Amino acid sequence: MSGKKSALGFGFQPDQSQHHFLVTIPRSADGTVFFYERFKWQEDTDHQILDELLDKAKAMISKHKWKLIEEAVKTEFNRRLKKEGIAVGKWKTGQVPVERLLGKELLLLVWAIEDSDPSVIPTAIRNWLGLSPEERWWLFTMTNASTGNLHDKRGWRKAIRYALTENPVEENRKQMDLFEFLFEQQKE
């Protein structure tokens, strides 16, 4: 036995909290990826039935843009899930649940690139990775409070896009958490 806590998708444990995000990934290469915030998980089913009144559509991006971010997001989330002793996740066609805090971080990146040129996505990823999880959560909360719905592409949403896509961060300037910093200092 591996000793890892089981989870659905990326870290989602419905017995801990029903609050999660659901990413729907289409089969077709020219399809659209949708992101929903949900507060209820339907047990004993392979496919969640979305309720337009309860499940909040937060964003949508082209499958092309999704393909440009999915590996970086998977790597970041799985690194942290491993650290917490939770089974790692993978993206697949269909519905993929994401634990609520990881979902907030994912939405922040998606909001940054939803209306941007695909050529700036690598910059957005570097800037997103340069933020600590707590910074991502705060930025999500501020953005979500005023412009968190599917078509709210103004105010904070625009600010997030500019902050992550037009603010180049050097690759070697990624912010470390305190443990990583102390470990690096000890090596010197």
Side-chain angles (χ1 to χ4, degrees):
M1 179 158 224
S2 69
K4 292 209 182 266
K5 296 178 213 162
S6 67
L8 303 173
F10 284 87
F12 177 53
Q13 300 170 321
D15 58 328
Q16 301 292 316
S17 171
Q18 297 275 306
H19 187 186
H20 67 285
F21 289 81
L22 191 68
V23 180
T24 62
I25 304 170
R27 278 194 200 288
S28 67
D30 62 345
T32 302
V33 179
F34 284 89
F35 303 84
Y36 298 90
E37 183 173 19
R38 303 181 74 230
F39 297 91
K40 184 165 175 53
W41 181 255
Q42 298 146 359
E43 296 288 339
D44 302 323
T45 180
D46 291 338
H47 184 80
Q48 295 294 296
I49 298 168
L50 296 169
D51 182 331
E52 288 183 29
L53 296 175
L54 300 175
D55 301 325
K56 305 207 181 329
K58 293 293 191 178
M60 62 183 185
I61 59 173
S62 68
K63 181 114 178 237
H64 172 70
K65 285 184 178 180
W66 172 251
K67 287 302 210 184
L68 295 174
I69 68 167
E70 72 175 342
E71 189 61 33
V73 172
K74 180 179 95 171
T75 300
E76 170 68 3
F77 288 176
N78 283 342
R79 177 186 66 78
R80 292 182 24 224
L81 290 171
K82 281 180 192 174
K83 199 181 223 182
E84 295 296 319
I86 299 172
V88 298
K90 66 179 182 174
W91 301 115
K92 63 179 181 61
T93 299
Q95 298 177 334
V96 181
V98 179
E99 185 272 335
R100 72 179 180 86
L101 292 175
L102 295 178
K104 290 178 179 189
E105 296 176 50
L106 172 61
L107 254 296
L108 185 69
L109 179 58
V110 169
W111 285 338
I113 67 163
E114 66 186 345
D115 287 336
S116 68
D117 186 279
S119 67
V120 300
I121 290 177
T123 300
I125 292 169
R126 277 194 306 278
N127 286 326
W128 180 79
L129 288 170
L131 297 169
S132 69
E134 294 82 5
E135 290 168 323
R136 295 178 200 155
W137 302 335
W138 185 85
L139 286 168
F140 169 87
T141 300
M142 297 306 293
T143 305
N144 192 50
S146 61
T147 56
N149 292 319
L150 182 63
H151 299 293
D152 288 344
K153 298 180 182 184
R154 55 190 164 74
W156 275 89
R157 287 272 269 275
K158 278 187 176 179
I160 292 300
R161 182 175 77 229
Y162 290 123
L164 292 183
T165 64
E166 294 190 13
N167 183 22
V169 170
E170 297 170 22
E171 190 77 30
N172 61 355
R173 299 269 331 244
K174 181 179 179 285
Q175 185 170 329
M176 292 187 258
D177 67 26
L178 182 59
F179 176 77
E180 291 170 330
F181 175 76
L182 293 173
F183 181 75
E184 289 297 317
Q185 293 295 321
Q186 191 175 33
K187 288 183 359 186
E188 294 176 357

